[in-house]
């Protein structure tokens, strides 16, 4: 199974329609073409669907960059069986 | 009157403008919905996300109660105009943030949370249709949004008074903004004329010729108007 980071990157590339998109922990919405209110709504819904999680509002408000999103997902997704 | 204020022609004798308080919540929801319709019967939140207006009102009330600043779904960003003690109009403003603190991302998070995954996924095709009309806002600029005057009070200088007060508040900040921006439906000619009189000029436009937009939005084109403050 691919890592959370790999699955998130694939999802980001799909949402922002950019197969070559590269992100880092410090990447913010301002760094990605097309990351606006509508695509952000889609992104949140798709992340919740992909990982089978549901964000609380305060969690969404705490996301400043991709690293925050990765850590938030990791904290909600059960560890994969060894 | 400060240097940026708009000359007043208000002919409402008992007009006052004050900061919004939690008790104004329902009027603010009315303001958001009235402004979003922009003189039509099309309410984009409902058409895009397949919501009944009563359900939308409940969700908007919950969101504005959260009072998260930097976007228009927030009580404390509003000024309320009252005539003879009755609420007559309201308008929101904020200083646009950057990145995750931009109004687009803050509001997007709020709407994603309120509407829920299933509804958003079901709306994907409609969201794609309206995406070309998305208008970026300039970080650091004062943003005016959700301009609304209740029908008995229209044409009586209330919008001018509200915007003047927002400009006055912004001018008193430690770092006053250099410009003020407002986004308007491009077919709202009366509003565009009024904002031009207030010193705004059209600085950007977005449009789409997709026929389905006529069922989703008040207009298939939007204009961003800017007033230089310093």
């Amino acid at each position: 199974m691919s890592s959370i980071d790999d699955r998130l990157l694939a999802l980001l590339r799909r949402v922002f329609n950019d197969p070559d998109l590269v992100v880092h922990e410090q990447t913010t919405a301002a760094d990605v073409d097309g990351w606006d209110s509508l695509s952000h709504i889609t992104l949140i819904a798709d992340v919740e669907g992909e990982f089978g999680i549901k964000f609380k509002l305060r969690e969404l408000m705490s996301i400043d960059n991709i690293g925050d999103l990765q850590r938030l997902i990791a904290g909600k997704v059960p560890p994969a069986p060894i | 009157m400060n240097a940026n204020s708009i000359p007043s022609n208000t002919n409402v004798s008992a007009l006052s403008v004050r900061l919004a308080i939690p008790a104004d919540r329902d009027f603010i929801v009315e303001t958001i919905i009235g402004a979003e319709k922009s003189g039509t019967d099309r309410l984009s939140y409902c058409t895009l996300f397949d919501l009944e207006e009563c359900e939308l009102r409940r969700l908007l009330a919950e969101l504005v109660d959260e009072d998260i600043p930097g976007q228009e779904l927030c009580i404390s960003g509003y000024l309320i105009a009252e005539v003879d003690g009755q609420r007559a109009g309201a308008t929101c403003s904020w200083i646009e943030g950057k990145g995750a603190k931009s109004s687009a991302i803050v509001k997007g998070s709020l709407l994603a949370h309120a509407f829920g995954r299933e509804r958003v996924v079901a709306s994907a095709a409609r969201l794609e249709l309206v995406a070309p009309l998305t208008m970026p806002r300039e970080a650091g600029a004062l943003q005016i949004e959700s301009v609304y005057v209740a029908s008995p009070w229209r044409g009586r200088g209330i919008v001018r008074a509200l915007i003047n007060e927002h400009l006055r508040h912004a001018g008193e900040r430690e770092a006053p903004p250099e410009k003020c921006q407002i986004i308007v439906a491009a077919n709202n000619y009366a509003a565009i004329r009024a904002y031009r009189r207030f010193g705004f000029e059209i600085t950007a436009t977005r449009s789409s010729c997709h026929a389905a937009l006529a069922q989703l939005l008040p207009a298939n084109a939007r204009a961003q108007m800017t007033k230089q403050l310093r």
Side-chain angles (χ1 to χ4, degrees), chain A residues 28-30 35-38 40-42 44-50 53-57 60-65, chain B residues 48-49 63 66 68 98-101 103-113 116-117 120-121 127 130-131 134:
Chain A
T28 74
W35 195 334
D36 55 32
S37 58
L38 295 178
H40 188 69
I41 293 171
T42 301
I44 297 301
D46 285 2
V47 168
E48 289 185 339
E50 169 70 21
I53 57 178
K54 170 77 180 155
F55 293 118
K56 295 176 178 153
L57 184 55
L60 291 175
M61 292 302 159
S62 74
I63 300 170
D64 280 340
N65 52 39
Chain B
L48 292 176
F49 294 100
L63 291 179
E66 295 286 345
I68 295 171
K98 282 184 183 170
K101 303 304 177 197
S103 58
I105 302 306
V106 175
K107 185 178 166 187
S109 291
L110 284 166
L111 295 178
H113 180 76
R117 187 178 73 81
V120 171
V121 169
L127 295 180
V130 302
T134 302

Side-chain angles (χ1 to χ4, degrees), chain B:
Chain B
M1 183 185 291
N2 72 30
N4 293 314
S5 55
I6 302 155
S8 174
N9 66 352
T10 301
N11 53 5
V12 178
S13 56
L15 173 67
S16 61
V17 175
R18 61 169 173 79
L19 295 169
I21 58 174
D24 296 315
R25 183 192 67 183
D26 291 347
F27 188 74
I28 288 172
V29 169
E30 193 66 39
T31 292
I32 294 166
I33 287 176
E36 195 71 23
K37 286 182 175 175
S38 187
T40 72
D41 60 356
R42 289 182 291 285
L43 182 50
S44 60
Y45 289 118
C46 292
T47 56
L48 292 176
F49 294 100
D50 194 22
L51 280 162
E52 294 294 329
E53 189 168 322
C54 59
E55 175 70 351
L56 175 68
R57 284 177 184 274
R58 184 184 68 76
L59 293 171
L60 287 178
E62 288 178 10
L63 291 179
V64 298
D65 270 346
E66 295 286 345
D67 205 28
I68 295 171
Q71 44 83 41
E72 72 266 32
L73 308 178
C74 167
I75 289 174
S76 57
Y78 279 83
L79 293 174
I80 306 289
E82 289 185 326
V83 178
D84 296 328
Q86 288 187 60
R87 297 178 186 95
T91 302
C92 186
S93 79
W94 68 89
I95 303 292
E96 181 65 15
K98 282 184 183 170
K101 303 304 177 197
S102 69
S103 58
I105 302 306
V106 175
K107 185 178 166 187
S109 291
L110 284 166
L111 295 178
H113 180 76
F115 294 163
R117 187 178 73 81
E118 286 183 10
R119 192 179 293 279
V120 171
V121 169
S123 306
R126 293 187 291 269
L127 295 180
E128 207 164 303
L129 270 181
V130 302
L133 297 186
T134 302
M135 184 81 77
R137 299 175 188 271
E138 193 171 324
L142 179 72
Q143 302 292 324
I144 302 280
E145 181 64 55
S146 294
V147 178
Y148 173 74
V149 176
S151 53
W153 308 109
R154 288 175 190 162
R156 302 172 76 168
I158 288 176
V159 170
R160 186 187 297 260
L162 283 164
I163 293 179
N164 265 343
E165 194 65 3
H166 279 292
L167 293 176
R168 190 180 69 77
H169 282 265
E172 289 174 350
R173 298 174 70 96
E174 199 171 313
E178 293 188 358
K179 56 181 75 170
C180 177
Q181 296 182 318
I182 187 162
I183 295 172
V184 61
N187 62 356
N188 191 344
Y189 305 114
I192 290 172
R193 274 197 305 273
Y195 297 139
R196 281 202 165 113
R197 285 199 300 274
F198 300 169
F200 289 80
E201 288 299 333
I202 293 176
T203 46
T205 56
R206 293 283 187 279
S207 65
S208 168
C209 56
H210 202 296
L213 283 179
Q215 306 303 317
L216 297 174
L217 302 177
N220 66 353
R222 307 173 85 200
Q224 185 172 55
M225 302 186 74
T226 301
K227 178 182 171 74
Q228 205 65 39
L229 302 178
R230 288 195 285 148

Side-chain angles (χ1 to χ4, degrees), chain A:
Chain A
M1 178 182 284
S2 55
S3 70
I4 286 175
D5 293 0
D6 290 342
R7 290 162 68 192
L8 179 60
L9 179 60
L11 192 154
L12 289 163
R13 287 175 170 173
R14 191 171 69 242
V15 169
F16 298 114
N17 199 26
D18 180 357
D20 300 319
L21 178 67
V22 175
V23 295
H24 309 282
E25 284 205 1
Q26 298 305 317
T27 300
T28 74
D31 301 319
V32 178
D33 280 349
W35 195 334
D36 55 32
S37 58
L38 295 178
S39 58
H40 188 69
I41 293 171
T42 301
L43 173 64
I44 297 301
D46 285 2
V47 168
E48 289 185 339
E50 169 70 21
F51 295 99
I53 57 178
K54 170 77 180 155
F55 293 118
K56 295 176 178 153
L57 184 55
R58 65 174 168 75
E59 291 172 330
L60 291 175
M61 292 302 159
S62 74
I63 300 170
D64 280 340
N65 52 39
I66 291 293
D68 291 338
L69 181 57
Q70 290 168 332
R71 284 185 287 277
L72 198 52
I73 295 167
K76 287 178 160 292
V77 174
I82 299 171

